[in-house]
Amino acid sequence: MRSYGPRKDVELPCGLPRAGDGLHRRATLTAMDGAAELAAADQSNPFFAAHLVLARCLCRLGARTEVDVEDVRRLLPIDRDFLLIELDRLTFGNRRYQTIRCPAADCRRRMDIEIDLSTIVASPSSPARQRELSLASGRAVRVRLPCAGDQEALFDAAADARAALLVARCLVGESEPAAALDAAEQVACALAIGNAAPRLDLALDLECPTCGGPFSHEYEPVRGLFGELRRSRSELLTEVHWLALHYHWSQAEILGLPRSLRREYLDLLERDRLARGQVER
Ligand SMILES: [Zn+2]
């Protein structure tokens, strides 16, 4: 765990069940450092990248002060998404810019949109973690809500296999094994599990500047942050290169700096370079 860099206390919308009773809702984040940025940018699974970054940047999650990826995988996706948005704001600021396409089939024009992450709020909720589902055949199964780790595990799954895999992961207790359910029951179960999962309201009401058609766009915290980190990877390496060249710090030392501090050193170098240029003139 790092000891410096900006920190922020976050109240989780749903929280983690306590060993005895009740919920842990408190978490503390510290801004990303270069090591977290680089490790995430080099992954192919955006969910694993997000969980890796959160494990590195959570100084506290409920009762845990040494947070690992397994702790993050146990979070409900709504809590993981809210933590990612708060981490994104702490590291990169509130404004996010994206280029999207108009969804109208006869338009499909690209447009730039601005998202203010500070407007995303999460109300506390306490959904039942498990529930019984009645199948069309009259049988009942007991399922749990999917967690962040389920999304990570299913990221690469083929579309036609997802329902069966999700149900197999989420069946609990004395339920029938997933293989005992027919394909229609697996899909019905997967839909019910998905619908029961609480979500953040991330829908933006937009209007296409070309065709004028109104549409809704949903911000995706995992892909939003992952895209940001992949786009800025080469910039990060350039920054490491300049700091190493001038200060002779090791790569590990430079990557251990929070992004804001790294940028301050680069500003100092730039001011130095400009001042020297003026003297030489
Ligand atoms: Zn349009």
Side-chain angles (χ1 to χ4, degrees):
M1 189 179 74
R2 286 171 296 127
S3 55
Y4 58 90
R7 288 187 178 209
K8 186 172 190 182
D9 290 325
V10 178
E11 187 89 356
L12 299 176
C14 292
L16 288 160
R18 281 179 193 270
D21 192 22
L23 294 160
H24 287 293
R25 286 197 196 264
R26 286 190 59 193
T28 304
L29 286 166
T30 183
M32 266 181 255
D33 60 359
E37 290 178 57
L38 190 60
D42 285 342
Q43 302 306 320
S44 57
N45 181 333
F47 291 98
F48 178 57
H51 301 159
L52 209 57
V53 166
L54 280 176
R56 185 164 174 92
C57 299
L58 277 162
C59 319
R60 174 184 169 165
L61 179 62
R64 304 265 300 157
T65 51
E66 296 292 329
V67 182
D68 60 28
V69 178
E70 281 307 318
D71 296 318
V72 178
R73 287 177 175 141
R74 278 192 283 273
L75 289 167
L76 292 181
I78 184 175
D79 285 343
R80 186 268 327 273
D81 286 351
F82 193 61
L83 283 169
L84 272 187
I85 289 167
E86 293 299 318
L87 179 62
D88 203 342
R89 294 177 60 197
L90 192 61
T91 309
F92 296 98
N94 288 332
R95 304 271 163 193
R96 203 60 69 250
Y97 301 91
Q98 285 189 339
T99 302
I100 59 170
R101 273 188 193 279
C102 172
D106 54 351
C107 178
R108 305 290 296 153
R109 291 292 284 270
R110 283 174 173 274
M111 70 191 89
D112 295 322
I113 60 166
E114 183 184 317
I115 300 159
D116 181 356
L117 296 179
S118 69
T119 60
I120 298 170
V121 289
S123 319
S125 74
S126 306
R129 306 280 161 148
Q130 294 186 12
R131 64 196 61 217
E132 201 160 88
L133 298 177
S134 300
L135 303 175
S137 62
R139 289 179 298 170
V141 288
R142 195 156 184 82
V143 292
R144 63 167 173 81
L145 287 179
C147 54
D150 297 316
Q151 292 182 319
E152 181 189 319
L154 296 180
F155 170 70
D156 281 332
D160 58 357
R162 294 183 74 85
L165 291 171
L166 177 68
V167 173
R169 292 180 67 91
C170 294
L171 283 176
V172 291
E174 302 294 303
S175 293
E176 308 260 1
L181 311 183
D182 65 32
E185 286 175 327
Q186 286 172 344
V187 170
C189 264
L191 272 177
I193 293 170
N195 289 337
R199 283 192 184 81
L200 292 173
D201 180 9
L202 299 169
L204 303 164
D205 293 323
L206 301 170
E207 191 173 286
C208 172
T210 306
C211 71
F215 68 97
S216 180
H217 170 75
E218 184 141 345
Y219 178 68
E220 295 182 44
V222 170
R223 288 170 201 273
L225 182 63
F226 187 58
E228 187 80 35
L229 294 174
R230 289 205 112 169
R231 276 190 298 277
S232 59
R233 186 184 183 279
S234 64
E235 197 184 344
L236 167 64
L237 292 187
T238 305
E239 292 174 3
V240 172
H241 165 74
W242 281 114
L243 290 175
L245 205 60
H246 288 274
Y247 292 111
H248 308 290
W249 296 333
S250 70
Q251 174 181 279
E253 285 168 328
I254 298 168
L255 289 177
L257 296 173
R259 184 185 178 85
S260 54
L261 195 54
R262 192 176 75 230
R263 292 287 169 93
E264 279 184 61
Y265 279 116
L266 287 163
D267 285 347
L268 285 174
L269 285 180
E270 180 62 8
R271 262 188 271 164
D272 216 27
R273 191 183 67 82
L274 288 173
R276 236 178 290 161
Q278 276 168 358
V279 170
E280 282 165 15
R281 234 181 283 146

